[in-house]
Amino acid sequence: MTKFNPQRNSAVVSELKLLNPWVENTDYGDDIVQLARALLGDIGPISEKAHFEQRLATMGRFASGRPAWNKWSQEMLEVRGLAGTDPALGAVCDALAIANFSGTRFTEDVDFAALVFPGRADFSGSEFEADCWFQGTTFYGPAILRQVSFLGEACFERATFYSVCDFQNAMFMKPAQFRDIQVVGQAMFEYADFARGAWFSGSKFDEANFSEARFGEATAFTDCEFAGPASFARAMFQSSCGFEGANFLGDIDMSQVDINGAAWLGDAKFAVLPKLEGVYVAGGGDFKEMLVPA
């Protein structure tokens, strides 16, 4: 981390401590840079204590309700703006903005709809045993949902991701709802298992990777826009899949895609001829005849 000057940045540090009183429980005193290192890296027991306190604070803030959460988020975003281009101060802001839900077991319905996450939202390894809602949720930092199990309804409709959204190895046991999402960073769905299919209609991706994902039932990418490279290499669609009206502006890799139902691409547009080596389509549809560059 770049050298940090606490005197020069005293106003921002004071605001950060005011917004995050839990830092006093980490035994760092005024050494907020060391705390940031512990949260962003791994320095043994020091990191364990810091993550534990941040997790407690995250859970408490979520329990206090949406207005309180979003008020904190807005103030954290404002403080992050004050950090400007100072890399050290920015790293401290990013560390304290982490929402730590990793490894959580949610046994009842849980509502994250319309929440604003000012920094990294970490749900890695969590399990949602009931329904969860993320409609209209805004993620300003990386959204980490790697290896998450969604046993109930999972709804991310109209969510906005301004950084990476990572659903690698996630498992969805009911139809996954991702209509009208926007991903400004990279959408990572490699090895994701959509047991009952998924709905991404109307979504926009800067870059998307669905390599080796499995879709157990009907799936739709209707009217999606892929501004950058997109990969569905070795993905398996056990039922029909629809890409009607989709717009692929970058490279598209559909090599070795296995489609056991119909495949529809009516009015889909491709700026570059997609990679189609080894594609298998068992059902009907207009897959082959529509693969013509725009």
Side-chain angles (χ1 to χ4, degrees), residues 46-91:
I46 297 177
S47 289
E48 292 178 12
K49 172 67 171 172
H51 284 294
F52 175 77
E53 293 296 340
Q54 188 173 56
R55 179 180 174 81
L56 284 181
T58 299
M59 294 297 186
R61 190 180 306 113
F62 179 62
S64 67
R66 184 180 295 110
W69 178 285
N70 284 349
K71 182 177 184 295
W72 171 81
S73 294
Q74 183 59 43
E75 291 173 339
M76 285 295 292
L77 289 170
E78 291 173 0
V79 173
R80 183 64 177 85
L82 294 175
T85 58
D86 185 321
L89 188 56

Side-chain angles (χ1 to χ4, degrees), residues 150 167 170-178 188-200 210 213-219 221 236-238:
F150 298 94
F167 286 87
M171 178 179 66
F172 300 83
M173 295 306 295
K174 292 189 177 182
Q177 310 296 338
F178 284 88
M188 304 167 67
F189 287 89
E190 299 99 309
Y191 300 99
D193 188 349
F194 300 91
R196 299 286 303 279
W199 301 90
F200 286 88
F210 289 87
R214 174 185 173 274
F215 302 88
E217 294 186 8
T219 296
F221 289 89
M236 176 177 287
F237 296 87
Q238 303 239 359

Side-chain angles (χ1 to χ4, degrees), residues 1-9 13 32-33 86 88-89 92:
M1 187 179 294
T2 306
K3 187 175 180 181
F4 182 78
N5 186 327
Q7 287 75 36
R8 185 186 65 201
N9 305 123
V13 170
I32 200 168
V33 174
D86 185 321
L89 188 56
V92 172

Side-chain angles (χ1 to χ4, degrees), residues 22-28 35 38-39 41-57 100:
W22 58 270
V23 303
E24 299 298 331
N25 300 327
T26 61
D27 301 324
Y28 282 100
L35 172 60
L39 293 170
D42 183 5
I43 47 181
I46 297 177
S47 289
E48 292 178 12
K49 172 67 171 172
H51 284 294
F52 175 77
E53 293 296 340
Q54 188 173 56
R55 179 180 174 81
L56 284 181
N100 188 351

Side-chain angles (χ1 to χ4, degrees), residues 154-226:
C155 184
F156 287 84
E157 292 183 351
R158 303 183 307 283
T160 301
F161 301 86
Y162 285 105
S163 183
V164 169
C165 71
D166 185 351
F167 286 87
Q168 294 182 81
N169 293 105
M171 178 179 66
F172 300 83
M173 295 306 295
K174 292 189 177 182
Q177 310 296 338
F178 284 88
R179 294 177 182 85
D180 298 310
I181 69 168
Q182 181 175 358
V183 185
V184 177
Q186 185 181 22
M188 304 167 67
F189 287 89
E190 299 99 309
Y191 300 99
D193 188 349
F194 300 91
R196 299 286 303 279
W199 301 90
F200 286 88
S201 304
S203 294
K204 295 182 178 181
F205 302 91
D206 270 14
E207 184 176 346
N209 194 337
F210 289 87
S211 298
E212 303 200 44
R214 174 185 173 274
F215 302 88
E217 294 186 8
T219 296
F221 289 89
T222 309
D223 296 322
C224 284
E225 180 178 289
F226 297 86

